[in-house]
Amino acid sequence: MSNHYAMHQPSVTRRDLLRTGSAAVVGVSLGCGPVEYSGQTIPPFVSTPFPLEEYTIEQLQVAMQAGIWSARTVAEVYLARIDELDIQGPGLRSVIEINPDALTIADELDRDRRESEPRGLLHGIPVLLKDNIDTADHMTTTAGSLALAGSIARSDAAVVRRLRAAGAVLLGKANLSEWANFRSTQSSSGWSARGGQCRNPYALDRNPCGSSSGSAVAVAANLTMVAIGTETDGSIVCPASANGIVGIKPTVGLVSQEGIVPIAHSQDTAGSMARTVRDAALTLAAIGRADVWHGATGNQAASLDDTYLTSLDPEGLRGSRVGVARRFFDFHRNTDRVIEEALNVIRDAGGIVVDPVEWPSDPVWNATEHEVLLYEFKTDLNAYLNARGPDAPVRSLDDVIAFNEQNLDQEMAFFGQELFYQAAEKGPLSEPQYLAALGANRRLAREDGIDLMMDRYNLDALVAPTGGPAWTTDPINGDHFSGSSSRPAATAGYPNITVPAGDVFGLPVGLSFFGRAWSEPVLIRLAFAFEQLTQSRRPPRFLQTAELP
């Protein structure tokens, strides 16, 4: 590696880079750190007691309303926490850039609270944004790539406008798998040239999954109250599961895609990541589009806040019909054990567990999704980069490919850009090959998939393990996923919620609830009731490696 900065170097270096948004100039960094020193295992990092540990949005609102906390003091303690755990200490590398305006925003919100009423439940609440979400401020938006280093978007993403209007304090940008993990066939999730390798706070040598790696890690480690991630296939639910938090991947269209670095418009969506279902639901309500039309019912979603709040019923599993998608089991024995216990919780709560549902199998599913993503990535990324304006350092996919080839040591020291090359060869979205793949995707995932299962078994939701426990980070060979259930909801464009269900040797494992388009209120109800019964979330201990018996 050349020009790398390691966590044992003077911490001021990375702190200054984060605060100025110029971390790109330092180049490649793995930043995993040693597990042993002089033959002695390094003990877990012991952090300073954090006064807002595991606080929820509503708890913090009560404290701010009572004058115990202010938006400024809250922002200050979270920024100090980021400095202690992300920049120094275990070096989580979940935050790629600090917002230099964070305290100014907090001061303005405190003034608003004194002079009028809070804007809502997110007033003064710290939020981190994945670094593929545009902000027209002093922060850059780079998707983790040096190709966009120093480039500031011309306008806020729609999600950001809604968060600002809701009174959120934007703390900064979260690290991610570079280009949202759509660059190489052999990538390491959580790595970007700007941010280095993000680390799982439960075991620092384990992977955080991706691509919303930093968003998940920061929430899990209490570096922020909530975060915004994005998903094309698994990029919210996998890191949420691997880091012991809640992730909501909404129906495509519920949250605007405007101003987000794209992969594929047919599957891309932003979503909320939080430590509790309630906080994730409240955040989704803030970023969701109240003007979206529910295609399944024809009803307009005019009051998402009310809908999601009334869905938070601790008795929500009683009488529900939940189908077990056994097709997505049997990839990891201990994960199956955790999920079987979760199914018993649902039964004991009065839920009707339909087990199994006979999921249709089609071997071409993987191939059709891959084809769709390649076609849409080229078209969508070219349109996005062109809209960044004449000052953007790259204006097309071809420009990014050329940049990476010219900066091999920094951008491609660990893995290449095979997916970029494949996408560059694709033609327009009018080509029959693309249209056939898109049609097959939708048929397999919707009418011959989720919708068929829901109708055949009269279900409220389907459930499956979100994924297995986190694997050891391996930049040489790349990711080695054990299993996943994200593809049906992802390719259908349907909602998916993952909730902590337990752990495997201290590594979190999540349970996914997914179902029809626009069924977020139902899924939130089921996920909330399950969470209240299990209380499986455990804060991380920043172990150097997994704790084995």
Side-chain angles (χ1 to χ4, degrees):
M1 294 185 294
S2 62
N3 300 321
H4 89 283
Y5 58 96
M7 60 178 286
H8 58 268
Q9 289 179 319
S11 60
V12 66
T13 302
R14 186 164 184 255
R15 182 188 300 116
D16 290 346
L17 289 166
L18 277 167
R19 292 193 183 283
T20 59
S22 57
V25 299
V26 300
V28 171
S29 174
L30 181 60
C32 284
V35 174
E36 294 187 350
Y37 179 75
S38 300
Q40 298 295 317
T41 300
I42 299 175
F45 177 81
V46 179
S47 63
T48 303
F50 185 52
L52 296 176
E53 183 90 10
E54 299 295 289
Y55 256 57
T56 66
I57 289 174
E58 289 170 314
Q59 286 173 334
L60 190 50
Q61 285 298 341
V62 170
M64 288 194 287
Q65 198 64 31
I68 300 170
W69 288 92
S70 66
R72 184 183 179 92
T73 57
V74 167
E76 286 174 338
V77 296
Y78 273 110
L79 290 172
R81 175 87 165 175
I82 290 170
D83 186 79
E84 179 186 13
L85 298 181
D86 206 74
I87 301 171
Q88 304 186 73
L92 297 175
R93 294 178 178 264
S94 66
V95 181
I96 206 168
E97 186 170 338
I98 295 293
N99 184 3
D101 301 324
L103 296 182
T104 300
I105 294 170
D107 287 340
E108 293 171 352
L109 291 167
D110 284 334
R111 185 172 58 251
D112 289 349
R113 186 186 292 271
R114 289 192 302 268
E115 296 176 354
S116 58
E117 293 294 322
R119 302 180 192 178
L121 283 173
L122 288 194
H123 191 107
I125 299 299
V127 179
L128 275 174
L129 302 167
K130 188 176 179 180
D131 183 39
N132 61 349
I133 300 174
D134 285 349
T135 54
D137 49 18
H138 292 100
M139 292 189 289
T140 59
T141 305
T142 70
S145 172
L146 302 182
L148 285 170
S151 177
I152 295 176
R154 303 170 82 179
S155 60
D156 282 342
V159 167
V160 175
R161 294 197 300 270
R162 293 188 65 83
L163 286 169
R164 291 192 199 276
V169 177
L170 304 182
L171 284 184
K173 297 289 184 77
N175 198 6
L176 71 164
S177 309
E178 187 172 309
W179 295 109
N181 233 1
F182 200 78
R183 199 192 86 181
S184 174
T185 57
Q186 203 173 5
S187 61
S188 175
S189 289
W191 183 89
S192 71
R194 278 195 69 208
Q197 178 65 57
C198 187
R199 309 169 79 184
N200 191 306
Y202 289 87
L204 298 175
D205 64 345
R206 297 273 163 169
N207 197 271
C209 198
S211 62
S212 302
S213 314
S215 299
V217 170
V219 170
N222 281 268
L223 306 185
T224 183
M225 182 69 72
V226 295
I228 306 301
T230 67
E231 175 163 329
T232 305
D233 187 342
S235 287
I236 288 175
V237 295
C238 181
S241 174
N243 292 279
I245 66 168
V246 176
I248 302 181
K249 196 286 288 190
T251 305
V252 172
L254 179 62
V255 178
S256 174
Q257 297 178 22
E258 178 201 337
I260 299 176
V261 181
I263 292 180
H265 60 265
S266 65
Q267 295 183 204
D268 287 352
T269 180
S272 54
M273 306 178 79
R275 290 181 290 275
T276 68
V277 173
R278 182 183 294 270
D279 283 359
L282 293 174
T283 305
L284 180 63
I287 65 173
R289 298 165 58 190
D291 60 344
V292 70
W293 284 84
H294 286 195
T297 64
N299 294 326
Q300 199 171 17
S303 182
L304 296 178
D305 293 281
D306 292 343
T307 302
Y308 296 158
L309 283 173
T310 55
S311 298
L312 299 169
D313 179 4
E315 295 291 323
L317 285 167
R318 188 169 305 281
S320 64
R321 292 181 59 85
V322 176
V324 182
R326 288 282 171 187
R327 175 178 177 175
F328 305 105
F329 283 66
D330 299 329
F331 59 81
H332 192 278
R333 179 171 62 97
N334 287 318
T335 298
D336 284 351
R337 172 185 54 78
V338 170
I339 303 305
E340 294 299 342
E341 292 174 0
L343 296 177
N344 286 332
V345 169
I346 296 173
R347 292 186 184 98
D348 292 344
I352 301 166
V353 177
V354 182
D355 185 10
V357 297
E358 298 295 335
W359 195 280
S361 178
D362 193 319
V364 304
W365 198 348
N366 291 1
T368 57
E369 183 190 29
H370 185 67
E371 195 73 6
V372 168
L373 299 190
L374 291 174
Y375 267 99
E376 293 189 7
F377 180 70
K378 178 181 179 179
T379 296
D380 294 353
L381 185 65
N382 283 341
Y384 169 84
L385 291 174
N386 189 61
R388 284 287 287 258
D391 295 332
V394 287
R395 301 291 301 281
S396 68
L397 174 59
D398 287 341
D399 287 350
V400 179
I401 289 172
F403 178 91
N404 291 340
E405 290 173 343
Q406 293 161 11
N407 295 273
L408 289 172
D409 289 347
Q410 294 173 303
E411 279 288 355
M412 296 201 288
F414 300 120
F415 49 86
Q417 53 180 346
E418 301 88 357
L419 296 179
F420 278 10
Y421 292 136
Q422 293 173 26
E425 295 175 356
K426 297 301 180 184
L429 300 187
S430 57
E431 287 191 350
Q433 188 173 353
Y434 163 73
L435 295 173
L438 180 64
N441 256 7
R442 290 177 170 168
R443 174 180 58 81
L444 292 168
R446 295 177 181 179
E447 51 262 42
D448 290 350
I450 293 175
D451 292 336
L452 177 62
M453 296 299 96
M454 300 290 285
D455 290 338
R456 177 179 292 173
Y457 297 98
N458 188 27
L459 302 175
D460 294 296
L462 291 150
V463 295
T466 308
W471 59 91
T472 306
T473 295
D474 183 356
I476 298 172
N477 298 303
D479 292 333
H480 40 99
F481 294 93
S482 55
S484 169
S485 62
S486 66
R487 178 159 286 129
T491 51
Y494 287 2
N496 188 357
I497 301 178
T498 182
V499 185
D503 69 89
V504 174
F505 300 121
L507 300 172
V509 171
L511 175 68
S512 278
F513 294 83
F514 55 101
R516 302 181 188 275
W518 316 114
S519 64
E520 283 84 354
V522 175
L523 301 183
I524 288 170
R525 170 171 58 83
L526 300 175
F528 178 76
F530 175 79
E531 173 195 57
Q532 297 306 296
L533 290 167
T534 57
Q535 298 293 317
S536 293
R537 155 115 183 125
R538 298 289 182 271
R541 294 190 291 143
F542 313 108
L543 301 176
Q544 287 291 330
T545 191
E547 193 171 50
L548 303 180

